[in-house]
Amino acid sequence: MSRFKTGEFVAQPGSEILAEGASSTQLYTALEGMGLRYKTLEDGRRQVVGFILPGDFIGLQSGVMGEMKHSVEATTRMTMCVFNRSELWDLFKNHPRRSFGLTHLAASEEFLLGEMLSAVGQMDGIAKIAWVLNRFYKRLTALGLNENDQVPMPYRQQDIADAMGLSLVHTNKTLAKLRVEGFATWSGDTLTVHRPEELAELGYAKGVKPLKRPLI
Amino acid sequence: MSRFKTGEFVAQPGSEILAEGASSTQLYTALEGMGLRYKTLEDGRRQVVGFILPGDFIGLQSGVMGEMKHSVEATTRMTMCVFNRSELWDLFKNHPRRSFGLTHLAASEEFLLGEMLSAVGQMDGIAKIAWVLNRFYKRLTALGLNENDQVPMPYRQQDIADAMGLSLVHTNKTLAKLRVEGFATWSGDTLTVHRPEELAELGYAKGVKPLKRPLI
DNA sequence: CGGGAAGTTGAGCCGCGTCAACCATAGTGG
DNA sequence: CCACTATGGTTGACGCGGCTCAACTTCCCG
């Protein structure tokens, strides 16, 4: 895969990596740091459509559909691996396994979005918050970033609110509820989960397994 | 593409084509009729994650990830084109254009889900309903199924409610509002849109263009 | 020490969910 | 041919979860 790598790129916290509507000629894989995918509505509201963790691919839509359908922003400092879009073709022509992996990746994204849609559409406030915290905890644990039930959580409450379709105020109050009830504590940029099982149950997510993704 | 076709399949209205969790060895393309994609939560609630129209691909997740992440149900009688999963490999190995098209398709699905998530997460009741009706109207018009501002609409109100995260009752009342205000009338299995522009505006969807998809 | 960004908390209201009838249509069996 | 039933649509009453507004508190960073 290193054949395709054309360089590394470092994004500063708060900077926009790809803009909705842009047709970038570059694609990225996140190596370190965390980011956000979001869509902006005409009245300024924002829907967060995904959290970017190390290993995630960025810009597939642009590569395959010609333009990005959401923006991508670095939350922490991020280092990324850069590819050129033109190499996508080479990949499809000469590396069927890799291109299959890419499709797998797209299907996985679709799966994640479907899960999120179910949460946003069907759950009440407390379940939504429990659901994201749990999903986060599981993904980061799978990445080996869990130390003593603590995982990094560099986002703002507003990001979680925009992800789950709740107001900032209500998100805050719901987090407080989870805290005093002893399920999980999110303070500063670390999330501590005290009772993983019960948190997962609150988020109706007993059966969700971590995704295994083929290397790319 | 006909090389890959292994047959045709007809599904009766109300029947389940693929079940969540199933690892089918068959993939389908819808030729005629309409269907639903949905996820079922543990407490029985349902989130509709997509409407299937002629030309849509069914079972990509199963083909590429090993199992379906949502169920698929025929709403009307549907006729579908059937492929075998094993042929997916052949496609990736020997038909880069086709496999690229498949990835494009997966990315398009992801895009649609993102749009839907934004609507469900950020809009209020009337905007949500206006948004789906408008999306439906546009997609069906693009398929040439529009006659005199009328398009087929074989779904139940419950399906729309489950798609937009609203209760059946509130969906019904909101539809009534759109009807008396003269935006759109949905009666029986036809949807009549009287003022497309204003309906679209209600749904914050001025800028949404129909997707062009490469043939598969 | 001043200013801006994020988090916290209370008050008050309303959109939407739930409950509960009731109506319309179509298919079924006696 | 007509009760009987099932499915889907319609409408009103009422309560609550979550939104908005608004103040206040940290905590940085210059």
Side-chain angles (χ1 to χ4, degrees), chain B residues 85-131:
Chain B
R85 178 156 114 193
S86 54
E87 284 151 1
L88 256 191
W89 270 107
D90 182 48
L91 192 136
F92 272 91
K93 260 186 290 201
N94 304 319
H95 302 267
R97 273 195 90 81
R98 304 301 197 189
S99 54
F100 186 86
L102 206 63
T103 307
H104 176 98
L105 217 147
S108 302
E109 290 287 334
E110 187 194 339
F111 163 62
L112 285 179
L113 272 181
E115 292 277 299
M116 194 151 162
L117 181 57
S118 297
V120 172
Q122 304 300 326
M123 296 178 181
D124 63 13
I126 196 127
K128 285 182 186 181
I129 300 294
W131 183 85

Side-chain angles (χ1 to χ4, degrees), chain B residues 148-177:
Chain B
N148 301 327
D149 301 333
Q150 298 197 334
V151 294
M153 188 74 177
Y155 301 101
R156 294 167 302 144
Q157 295 187 355
Q158 183 72 65
D159 297 326
I160 302 299
D162 288 345
M164 304 313 292
L166 294 173
S167 72
L168 169 60
V169 173
H170 199 256
T171 299
N172 180 295
K173 288 174 180 169
T174 306
L175 282 167
K177 212 171 285 179

Side-chain angles (χ1 to χ4, degrees), chain A residues 36-39 45-51 116 119-120 124-125 128-133 136 153 155-175 186, chain B residues 117-118 120-123:
Chain A
L36 272 183
R37 306 177 196 270
Y38 63 90
K39 288 163 102 44
R45 275 174 310 182
R46 198 177 67 136
Q47 174 69 43
V48 169
V49 293
F51 299 95
M116 194 152 162
V120 172
D124 63 11
K128 286 183 185 180
I129 300 294
W131 183 87
V132 264
L133 292 188
F136 230 90
M153 188 75 177
Y155 301 101
R156 293 168 301 144
Q157 295 187 355
Q158 184 72 64
D159 298 326
I160 302 299
D162 288 344
M164 304 313 292
L166 294 172
S167 72
L168 170 59
V169 173
H170 199 256
T171 300
N172 180 297
K173 289 174 180 169
T174 307
L175 282 167
W186 172 20
Chain B
L117 181 57
S118 297
V120 172
Q122 304 300 326
M123 296 178 181

Side-chain angles (χ1 to χ4, degrees), chain A residues 39 42-43 45-47 64 69 92 96 99 103-104 107 110-111 113 115 118 121-122 162 165 204 206, chain B residues 39 42-43 45-47 64 69 92 96 99 103-104 107 110-111 113 115 118 121-122 162 165 204 206:
Chain A
K39 288 163 102 44
E42 315 183 2
D43 60 0
R45 275 174 310 182
R46 198 177 67 136
Q47 174 69 43
V64 99
K69 299 303 187 178
F92 272 93
S99 54
T103 306
H104 176 97
E110 187 194 338
F111 163 61
L113 272 181
E115 292 276 299
S118 298
Q122 304 300 326
D162 288 344
Y204 291 64
K206 275 179 276 196
Chain B
K39 286 163 100 52
E42 315 183 0
D43 60 0
R45 275 176 308 182
R46 198 177 67 136
Q47 173 69 43
V64 99
K69 298 303 187 179
F92 272 91
S99 54
T103 307
H104 176 98
E110 187 194 339
F111 163 62
L113 272 181
E115 292 277 299
S118 297
Q122 304 300 326
D162 288 345
Y204 292 62
K206 275 180 275 195

Side-chain angles (χ1 to χ4, degrees), chain B residues 34-38 46 48 50-52 70-75 78 155-156 159:
Chain B
M34 303 189 189
L36 273 183
R37 306 177 196 269
Y38 63 91
R46 198 177 67 136
V48 170
F51 299 96
I52 295 174
H70 55 251
S71 303
V72 178
E73 177 179 304
T75 300
M78 294 181 68
Y155 301 101
R156 294 167 302 144
D159 297 326

